[in-house]
Coordinates of all heavy atoms in Angstrom, one line a residue:
S210 N -32.8 5.5 6.2 CA -32.9 6.7 7.1 C -33.6 6.3 8.4 O -33.3 6.8 9.4 CB -33.7 7.8 6.4 OG -35.1 7.5 6.4
Q211 N -34.4 5.2 8.4 CA -35.0 4.7 9.6 C -34.0 4.1 10.5 O -34.2 4.1 11.8 CB -36.1 3.7 9.3 CG -37.3 4.3 8.6 CD -38.3 3.3 8.2 OE1 -38.0 2.1 8.1 NE2 -39.5 3.7 7.9
L212 N -32.9 3.6 10.0 CA -31.8 3.0 10.8 C -31.1 4.1 11.6 O -30.6 3.8 12.7 CB -30.8 2.3 9.9 CG -31.2 1.0 9.3 CD1 -30.1 0.5 8.4 CD2 -31.4 -0.1 10.4
G213 N -31.0 5.3 11.0 CA -30.2 6.3 11.6 C -28.7 6.2 11.3 O -28.1 5.2 11.6
F214 N -28.2 7.2 10.5 CA -26.8 7.3 10.2 C -26.4 8.7 10.1 O -27.3 9.6 9.9 CB -26.5 6.4 9.0 CG -27.2 6.9 7.7 CD1 -26.7 7.9 7.0 CD2 -28.4 6.4 7.4 CE1 -27.4 8.4 5.8 CE2 -29.1 6.8 6.3 CZ -28.6 7.8 5.5
D215 N -25.1 9.0 10.1 CA -24.6 10.4 10.0 C -24.2 10.7 8.6 O -24.2 11.9 8.2 CB -23.5 10.6 11.0 CG -23.9 10.1 12.4 OD1 -24.6 10.9 13.1 OD2 -23.5 9.0 12.8
K216 N -23.6 9.7 7.9 CA -23.0 10.0 6.7 C -23.4 9.0 5.6 O -23.6 7.8 6.0 CB -21.5 10.0 6.8 CG -20.9 11.1 7.7 CD -19.4 11.1 7.6 CE -18.9 12.4 8.2 NZ -19.1 12.5 9.7
L217 N -23.5 9.4 4.4 CA -23.9 8.5 3.3 C -22.7 8.6 2.3 O -22.3 9.7 1.9 CB -25.1 9.0 2.6 CG -25.8 8.0 1.7 CD1 -26.4 6.9 2.5 CD2 -26.9 8.7 0.9
K218 N -22.1 7.4 2.1 CA -21.0 7.4 1.1 C -21.5 6.9 -0.2 O -21.9 5.8 -0.4 CB -19.9 6.5 1.6 CG -19.1 7.1 2.8 CD -17.8 6.3 3.0 CE -16.7 6.8 2.1 NZ -15.3 6.3 2.5
I219 N -21.4 7.8 -1.3 CA -21.8 7.4 -2.6 C -20.7 6.5 -3.2 O -19.5 6.8 -3.1 CB -21.9 8.6 -3.6 CG1 -22.8 9.7 -2.9 CG2 -22.5 8.2 -4.9 CD1 -22.9 10.9 -3.9
D220 N -21.1 5.3 -3.7 CA -20.2 4.4 -4.2 C -19.4 4.9 -5.4 O -19.9 5.7 -6.2 CB -20.8 3.1 -4.7 CG -19.8 2.0 -4.9 OD1 -19.2 1.5 -3.9 OD2 -19.6 1.7 -6.1
K221 N -18.1 4.5 -5.5 CA -17.3 5.0 -6.5 C -17.7 4.8 -8.0 O -17.4 5.5 -8.9 CB -15.8 4.6 -6.3 CG -15.6 3.1 -6.4 CD -14.1 2.8 -6.3 CE -13.7 1.3 -6.3 NZ -14.1 0.6 -5.0
R222 N -18.5 3.7 -8.2 CA -19.0 3.4 -9.5 C -19.8 4.6 -10.1 O -19.9 4.8 -11.3 CB -19.8 2.1 -9.6 CG -21.2 2.2 -9.1 CD -21.9 0.9 -9.3 NE -21.2 -0.1 -8.5 CZ -21.7 -1.4 -8.4 NH1 -22.7 -1.8 -9.1 NH2 -21.0 -2.3 -7.7
F223 N -20.4 5.4 -9.2 CA -21.2 6.6 -9.7 C -20.3 7.8 -9.8 O -20.8 8.8 -10.4 CB -22.4 6.8 -8.8 CG -23.3 5.7 -8.6 CD1 -23.3 5.0 -7.3 CD2 -24.1 5.2 -9.6 CE1 -24.1 3.9 -7.1 CE2 -24.9 4.1 -9.4 CZ -24.9 3.4 -8.2
V224 N -19.2 7.8 -9.2 CA -18.3 9.0 -9.1 C -17.2 9.0 -10.1 O -16.8 10.0 -10.6 CB -17.8 9.1 -7.7 CG1 -16.8 10.2 -7.5 CG2 -18.9 9.2 -6.6
M225 N -16.6 7.8 -10.4 CA -15.4 7.7 -11.2 C -15.5 8.4 -12.6 O -14.6 9.0 -13.0 CB -15.0 6.2 -11.4 CG -14.2 5.7 -10.2 SD -14.2 3.9 -10.0 CE -13.6 3.4 -11.5
D226 N -16.7 8.2 -13.2 CA -16.9 8.8 -14.5 C -17.9 10.0 -14.5 O -18.6 10.2 -15.5 CB -17.3 7.8 -15.6 CG -18.6 7.2 -15.3 OD1 -19.1 7.4 -14.1 OD2 -19.2 6.4 -16.1
L227 N -18.0 10.6 -13.4 CA -19.0 11.6 -13.2 C -19.0 12.7 -14.2 O -20.0 13.3 -14.7 CB -18.8 12.2 -11.8 CG -20.0 13.1 -11.2 CD1 -21.3 12.3 -11.2 CD2 -19.6 13.5 -9.8
E228 N -17.7 13.1 -14.6 CA -17.6 14.2 -15.6 C -18.3 13.9 -16.9 O -18.9 14.8 -17.5 CB -16.1 14.2 -15.8 CG -15.5 15.6 -15.7 CD -14.0 15.5 -16.0 OE1 -13.4 14.4 -15.7 OE2 -13.4 16.4 -16.5
S229 N -18.2 12.7 -17.3 CA -18.8 12.4 -18.7 C -20.2 11.7 -18.6 O -20.9 11.7 -19.6 CB -17.8 11.4 -19.4 OG -17.6 10.3 -18.6
S230 N -20.6 11.1 -17.5 CA -21.8 10.4 -17.5 C -23.0 11.3 -16.9 O -23.0 11.6 -15.8 CB -21.7 9.2 -16.6 OG -23.0 8.7 -16.3
K231 N -23.9 11.6 -17.8 CA -25.1 12.4 -17.4 C -25.9 11.6 -16.4 O -26.5 12.2 -15.5 CB -25.9 12.7 -18.7 CG -25.3 13.9 -19.5 CD -26.0 15.2 -19.1 CE -25.4 16.4 -19.9 NZ -24.2 16.9 -19.3
T232 N -26.0 10.3 -16.7 CA -26.8 9.5 -15.7 C -26.2 9.6 -14.3 O -27.0 9.8 -13.4 CB -26.8 8.0 -16.2 OG1 -27.2 8.0 -17.6 CG2 -27.7 7.1 -15.4

Side-chain angles (χ1 to χ4, degrees):
S210 74
Q211 293 176 340
L212 285 174
F214 59 87
D215 307 282
K216 295 185 165 71
L217 193 71
K218 289 195 80 169
I219 309 179
D220 192 70
K221 59 177 179 287
R222 79 178 60 179
F223 306 109
V224 176
M225 277 158 55
D226 64 349
L227 192 57
E228 232 179 328
S229 56
S230 164
K231 283 264 177 278
T232 306

